[in-house]
Amino acid sequence: MSVTLTDQDKLTLRTAAYGAVTLMAAADAAGRPHKAATGGSVALHSATGLVGHVLAEKFRDVELKGRSVAALADHVLPALTAAMSLLRRQDPAEADNFRGTVLVAVETAARAHRGEPSPTMADMARKITAALDADASVSGTTSP
């Protein structure tokens, strides 16, 4: 299946993926946010397929700013759902690839700590996963 992504689609994917890592780092503000951000970003750069190409492109269009974690989440969580929706419409395999890539980045960011992630990081990971899966519950499809 051929996937055609507009510049806006690519922006949505990058905002969603890098935003998820940024949310994880923000949730770790009292711990090691720089390690969470670095680990999550490295995981995103390890992506393959169409998703990997989009995330590896040089970009300056992603704006992940907010006066609070809530403001950032208001921007990123809907972008995660939108990214899954647009990929699922064009190529379900790439939607699964995107979901898996983001979840690996989130898990990598959460492992900035030795041992288990903090409760705030675990909660943020649940919110990110729910946003990734929100489109599937509406459309009646499921991801692994």
Side-chain angles (χ1 to χ4, degrees):
M1 181 180 278
S2 177
V3 179
T4 304
L5 296 177
T6 65
D7 288 343
Q8 182 61 44
D9 294 341
K10 292 177 183 180
L11 173 61
T12 299
L13 294 179
R14 286 192 290 265
T15 298
Y18 286 101
V21 170
T22 303
L23 283 173
M24 290 299 290
D28 194 30
R32 297 177 168 182
H34 60 286
K35 288 192 181 259
T38 300
S41 294
V42 167
L44 292 179
H45 283 283
S46 299
T48 59
L50 174 68
V51 169
H53 289 287
V54 171
L55 296 180
E57 287 178 6
K58 297 239 185 247
F59 61 89
R60 295 177 189 249
D61 52 358
V62 176
E63 290 191 29
L64 297 172
K65 299 175 187 172
R67 293 185 162 250
S68 66
V69 176
L72 182 60
D74 287 347
H75 183 64
V76 172
L77 297 176
L80 286 161
T81 302
M84 288 297 294
S85 178
L86 74 91
L87 287 172
R88 192 169 280 117
R89 278 192 313 268
Q90 292 197 34
D91 186 346
E94 277 304 321
D96 290 342
N97 182 23
F98 179 78
R99 183 181 186 280
T101 296
V102 171
L103 291 178
V104 167
V106 165
E107 184 177 333
T108 303
R111 290 189 179 189
H113 293 274
R114 297 191 190 269
E116 292 186 24
S118 69
T120 55
M121 290 187 82
D123 184 53
M124 187 60 72
R126 281 190 294 276
K127 291 174 183 176
I128 290 167
T129 302
L132 287 167
D133 295 342
D135 178 62
S137 63
V138 171
S139 67
T141 60
T142 58
S143 293

